[in-house]
Amino acid sequence: MGTGVDGRFAGFTGLARPAWNPALVEVGWRLPRWAWGHGYATEAAREALAVGFDEIGLSEIVSFTAVANERSQAVMRRLGMTRDPADDFDYPTIAEGHPLRRSVLFRIGAEHVGRAGELN
């Protein structure tokens, strides 16, 4: 994704299968700090959900982040994703005791997203 303001690279968004659980498909994003708060992550992730559900035919997509990452959790909620605390987990490649190890997991099913990523 790029911006129309000055052509700076605004980060990336996409679908991936986590190596530690390839049964899942995750929507994820990484943006530089200057790009936060402009809706770029939500807009791009909505497009990625549309690709996953409409073009690939996935039945569910997840997203996860560290407990402390409230901004990404807010994006997940704006996307219509929901969290069940029973699904939260310790990220397997982050050392025990590290503050980013505990992760929250959000989910959304294809039945909740219409064409072009709009919520049903």
Side-chain angles (χ1 to χ4, degrees):
M1 99 183 76
T3 70
V5 177
D6 61 10
R8 289 188 290 174
F9 181 68
F12 67 89
T13 302
L15 300 173
R17 291 190 183 275
W20 49 268
N21 189 344
L24 298 175
V25 175
E26 171 203 13
V27 60
W29 47 87
R30 305 290 182 273
L31 282 74
R33 190 171 299 269
W34 67 262
W36 295 2
H38 299 283
Y40 302 142
T42 303
E43 180 182 348
R46 192 168 281 128
E47 291 298 321
L49 291 176
V51 169
F53 292 133
D54 298 342
E55 296 180 27
I56 300 173
L58 298 171
S59 60
E60 180 182 71
I61 297 174
V62 303
S63 193
F64 49 86
T65 191
V67 170
N69 190 343
E70 291 291 335
R71 294 182 81 95
S72 281
Q73 290 180 54
V75 171
M76 294 170 199
R77 286 189 292 274
R78 280 193 294 277
L79 293 170
M81 302 182 96
T82 58
R83 174 183 170 222
D84 178 347
D87 292 334
D88 294 353
F89 64 100
D90 291 330
Y91 198 88
T93 60
I94 297 178
E96 197 169 316
H98 191 285
L100 298 180
R101 185 165 196 224
R102 192 68 184 159
S103 297
V104 295
L105 185 133
F106 284 70
R107 300 175 182 273
I108 191 166
E111 69 277 8
H112 297 293
V113 180
R115 308 274 312 145
E118 296 301 318
L119 291 177
N120 285 337

